[in-house]
């Protein structure tokens, strides 16, 4: 018996699954092509969402801070998955795993502190920040109004 026949005999169920899956995908694509609409009209290719016609352009300019915050979210979210995986396997990883996770979390915290210090998470424009006025005179905060 040849090696190809032996491999096919050993993995016949997987080969049958792949053949059926590819055949089903091809059948659905062919049916969509044959049964699909062929109408061409001016409004056919206009975007239509939630019952509202599109107004204006979809190419809206956004601040780069939106993308920056999205990247921060993805980075810290993925790292939260690593911490969760560590928490699930804490008994198997032992003290060495605890030290590695602590170093990992400290690096994350250092990155977060760095982002806060450079102002990457500061959304307030500089023109609308409150200015703190320092006075040479002490401010009396007690209630000393005469009655």
């Amino acid at each position: 018996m040849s090696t190809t026949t032996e491999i096919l005999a050993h993995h016949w169920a997987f080969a049958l699954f792949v053949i059926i899956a590819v055949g089903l995908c091809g059948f659905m694509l062919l049916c969509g092509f044959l049964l699909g609409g062929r109408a061409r009209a001016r409004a056919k290719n206009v975007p239509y969402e939630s019952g509202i016609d599109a107004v204006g352009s979809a190419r809206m300019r956004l601040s780069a801070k939106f993308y920056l915050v999205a990247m921060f979210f993805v980075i810290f979210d993925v790292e939260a998955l690593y911490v969760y995986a560590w928490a699930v396997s804490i008994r198997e990883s032992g003290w060495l795993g605890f030290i590695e996770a602590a170093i990992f979390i400290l690096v994350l915290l250092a990155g977060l502190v760095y982002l806060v210090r450079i102002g990457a998470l500061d959304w307030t424009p500089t023109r609308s920040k409150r200015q703190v006025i320092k006075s040479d005179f002490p401010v009396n905060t007690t209630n000393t109004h005469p009655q």
Side-chain angles (χ1 to χ4, degrees):
M1 202 182 244
S2 69
T3 58
T4 309
T5 309
E6 289 176 11
I7 291 173
L8 189 59
H10 188 66
H11 299 293
W12 67 270
F14 181 71
L16 183 65
F17 170 75
V18 169
I19 290 169
I20 290 173
V22 169
L24 184 62
C25 289
F27 174 73
M28 287 190 294
L29 288 172
L30 183 65
C31 285
F33 177 74
L34 294 176
L35 300 174
R38 305 254 192 273
R40 300 280 183 229
R42 189 170 59 120
K44 188 78 168 174
N45 295 325
V46 174
Y48 185 79
E49 183 176 339
S50 302
I52 300 170
D53 289 328
V55 177
S57 173
R59 300 189 186 275
M60 188 170 58
R61 295 189 71 156
L62 295 174
S63 173
K65 291 201 178 212
F66 287 108
Y67 300 109
L68 194 62
V69 168
M71 286 190 300
F72 294 154
F73 172 76
V74 169
I75 290 168
F76 285 104
D77 192 43
V78 169
E79 282 145 4
L81 290 174
Y82 287 130
V83 173
Y84 178 76
W86 167 79
V88 169
S89 66
I90 191 167
R91 292 180 193 248
E92 292 86 12
S93 59
W95 281 104
L96 183 62
F98 176 76
I99 293 169
E100 290 173 351
I103 292 170
F104 181 73
I105 291 171
L106 287 175
V107 168
L108 282 179
L109 287 176
L112 188 60
V113 167
Y114 173 73
L115 291 173
V116 169
R117 290 195 46 125
I118 66 170
L121 302 177
D122 188 16
W123 282 82
T124 310
T126 55
R127 67 179 178 270
S128 65
K129 287 185 182 178
R130 292 185 184 187
Q131 300 294 328
V132 177
I133 301 172
K134 293 186 179 180
S135 173
D136 294 334
F137 302 107
V139 178
N140 188 1
T141 58
T142 60
N143 191 2
T144 58
H145 295 287
Q147 295 178 356

